Amino acid sequence: MLVVRLDDGREWVSNPERVDERFVPASTSKIPHTLIALETGYANGPETLFPWDGEARTFAAWNQDQTLATAYAHSAVWVYQQVARDLGYQTMADWIERLGYGNADTGTPADLTRYWLDGPLAISAREQVDFLSRLARGELPLRGSTLSVGKSIMRADAGEGWALYAKTGWGLRNGAPDIGWYVGWAETSETAFVFALNLDMPDEAARAKRIPAARSVLAALGALPADKVPGGPNDASPQRTE
């Protein structure tokens, strides 16, 4: 895990040898993909509707009509595959490069609906933090309205004087443990703490550790209230479907 405090650049790192190792972004790519959908005008806001095609997929929450906001919250892969198909390979490739996201490698047109799931797109924890820092500061080449709506979709939790913007990711790997992500930033009245956590997920128990582990670190740094760690005695945080 890597955490960077934006006002002074101070870093906290766990396993420094791993923070520069690249992995597929999986559903954390829904952050730039959501911004691309908004910036291009493909989506006109969080309530943009994506009718379900009736095909039963992995998670029950996917098997219904989605808005852009619910597709992000539920990690509905089929919605973002539809966005990629409709916008086309060149538009997606151009925007991923323009946003400076990870290695910015979207492969070939044959990879259009899988490049963030299977590669060749890859990103490290440090690159996640770099991208998210530019997003949190409003430094990406995007309209103000795109940034505002994108942040509203990303918001995972909030309270008096603080807000958390985040996304999980689950990257499948053949012959190796799956990769789990939790990335985003926590804003306080004084500053923002940008973070990226990734871990190997050999089983369901490991998958469940992503959000509590990251939130525990953020709470210890004063970026989140101590009672906002999932699983704690006062946990009332919304749970996201992977």
Side-chain angles (χ1 to χ4, degrees):
M1 183 168 180
L2 172 65
V3 183
V4 175
R5 188 166 58 195
L6 285 190
D7 62 345
D8 60 4
R10 183 174 178 183
E11 294 187 0
W12 293 265
V13 182
S14 172
N15 195 350
E17 294 79 14
R18 184 171 168 127
V19 295
D20 293 308
E21 186 175 353
R22 285 171 167 165
F23 304 97
V24 292
S27 282
T28 65
S29 69
K30 288 180 173 63
I31 299 172
H33 288 165
T34 297
L35 297 171
I36 293 166
L38 292 166
E39 183 69 14
T40 59
Y42 178 86
N44 57 21
E47 298 307 314
T48 299
L49 183 64
F50 298 87
W52 180 42
D53 61 6
E55 180 181 343
R57 295 178 172 87
T58 307
F59 299 105
W62 293 6
N63 300 327
Q64 58 190 354
D65 293 350
Q66 303 286 338
T67 64
L68 186 61
T70 65
Y72 180 93
H74 296 152
S75 282
V77 172
W78 67 266
V79 171
Y80 286 86
Q81 290 177 321
Q82 179 179 322
V83 171
R85 280 193 298 267
D86 289 348
L87 286 177
Y89 174 77
Q90 198 59 56
T91 295
M92 299 301 295
D94 288 349
W95 271 107
I96 290 295
E97 182 175 4
R98 190 174 179 186
L99 294 175
Y101 187 73
N103 66 358
D105 187 353
T106 53
T108 71
D111 302 311
L112 177 59
T113 62
R114 302 287 304 180
Y115 63 80
W116 64 92
L117 300 169
D118 304 327
L121 187 63
I123 194 166
S124 68
R126 188 171 297 280
E127 288 169 330
Q128 292 269 23
V129 167
D130 172 73
F131 169 75
L132 292 164
S133 295
R134 289 182 286 124
L135 173 54
R137 288 189 174 115
E139 294 174 350
L140 294 176
L142 302 168
R143 294 172 296 169
S145 59
T146 295
L147 295 170
S148 177
V149 174
K151 285 181 64 176
S152 74
I153 292 172
M154 284 186 64
R155 190 166 67 180
D157 205 355
E160 185 175 354
W162 65 276
L164 176 66
Y165 304 88
K167 188 73 193 78
T168 54
W170 181 4
L172 302 177
R173 296 197 297 178
N174 292 326
D178 295 344
I179 292 295
W181 285 103
Y182 192 54
V183 307
W185 72 92
E187 285 185 1
T188 69
S189 55
E190 292 83 23
T191 187
F193 294 78
V194 185
F195 68 92
L197 174 146
N198 66 52
L199 76 165
D200 294 339
M201 299 194 306
D203 51 32
E204 175 66 25
R207 180 181 165 210
K209 292 177 180 177
R210 291 169 299 171
I211 295 176
R215 285 196 176 200
S216 293
V217 171
L218 294 170
L221 296 176
L224 291 180
D227 64 352
K228 287 299 179 178
V229 177
N234 300 310
D235 176 30
S237 57
Q239 298 302 304
R240 299 287 179 128
T241 301
E242 180 65 53

